[in-house]
Amino acid sequence: MDLRIFTEPQQGASYDTLLSVAKATEDLGFDAFFRSDHYLRMGSADGLPGPTDAWITLAGLARETKRIRLGTLMTAGTFRLPGVLAIQVAQVDQMSGGRVELGLGAGWFEEEHKAYGIPFPAERLARLEEQLAIVTGLWATEVGASFDYAGTHYQVENSPALPKPAQAKIPVLIGGHGAKRTPRLAAQYADEFNMPFASIPDSERQFGRVRAAAEEAGRKPDDLVYSNALVVCVGKDDAEVARRAAAIGRDVDELKANGLAGSPAEVVQRIGEYGAVGSSRLYLQLLDLDDLDHLELISAQVLSQLG
């Protein structure tokens, strides 16, 4: 089971804070540092000092880290034109020496679009499908050849399809709860399917849909990685769990029911239950980014037990 650290900087984090978390992620043996792609805080958080851009952040971290994978859960398709996104991600992949992964979604948070003057179009899933075709098509085009695409929402004409990523193929992540279109898009374009904030039964059901869609598309279902994103709250005793839950404004019982919470032994057991339904990678949503002792505890007493 891979453990990756997943942050939500729109809730309030500077680049320096994210850099500290990313360096701890690397030093403590975790597999990757991922972040959300949002420009507006959610809930009661103050969001200070203000939003940071996902791909600018990852470009900086690409030069400040050496080993960990870097990526997004999920880049909002509404924020960037597909050709521009292909250039940005390929450049950050070069800057990192080939450690980037692209999670790409349709975009959903209408308020942040209004807050920053970003169009929030209808047919976002149809646009996402065309974006996936263009981004992956640009990267796959041989040097010296050109790429064209004639879609309903996007058209590309005689593109040199440059620059190229450092990796032969940047892993693409698709995720979500949709019963039909999401599994089909994952089967067509994804290297990894991510189930965000879902129960074990719901994860098993959706993984099954994706596996069936992969078979229908002529792919081996095991060619995809299946993963979950879950909030994490671990403590060496009940008091520490309660303190960490209070710091992020959550209830311990709710966290235990819907995330990875409790003692290290409880969390290891819960991870095993997700593994039993097919998940081989977990994105630990770390909400208190100033609590690096939390990461140390997870590394020493959870990660160390997963082999």
Side-chain angles (χ1 to χ4, degrees), residues 59-141:
L61 298 181
R63 307 303 290 177
E64 298 277 3
T65 58
K66 302 296 184 184
R67 177 188 60 80
I68 51 173
R69 308 288 294 177
L70 301 166
T72 51
L73 283 181
M74 299 284 186
T75 289
T78 47
F79 289 176
R80 298 165 180 85
L81 297 171
V84 175
L85 181 62
I87 292 169
Q88 290 173 320
V89 178
Q91 183 178 1
V92 178
D93 194 51
Q94 292 174 359
M95 294 168 69
S96 71
R99 294 183 285 123
V100 157
E101 303 184 11
L102 171 64
L104 185 58
W108 62 271
F109 189 21
E110 186 172 7
E111 285 86 351
E112 69 186 336
H113 294 74
K114 292 178 179 177
Y116 287 95
I118 303 168
F120 190 68
E123 300 293 331
R124 289 185 301 282
L125 275 173
R127 290 174 179 268
L128 173 63
E129 185 164 3
E130 293 190 11
Q131 290 167 330
L132 287 162
I134 292 168
V135 170
T136 58
L138 288 168
W139 291 338
T141 300

Side-chain angles (χ1 to χ4, degrees), residues 1 195 198-208 211 226-228 270-280 282:
M1 179 71 74
M195 192 61 169
S199 68
I200 292 169
D202 286 348
S203 298
E204 184 175 26
R205 187 178 305 111
Q206 187 71 334
F207 291 161
R211 295 179 72 88
Y226 300 87
S227 63
N228 287 88
R270 186 74 163 167
I271 288 172
E273 293 169 358
Y274 275 95
V277 300
S279 186
S280 63
L282 293 179

Side-chain angles (χ1 to χ4, degrees), residues 203-223:
S203 298
E204 184 175 26
R205 187 178 305 111
Q206 187 71 334
F207 291 161
R209 291 181 183 130
V210 174
R211 295 179 72 88
E215 286 188 343
E216 187 174 340
R219 294 183 65 183
K220 295 179 180 178
D222 288 341
D223 286 346

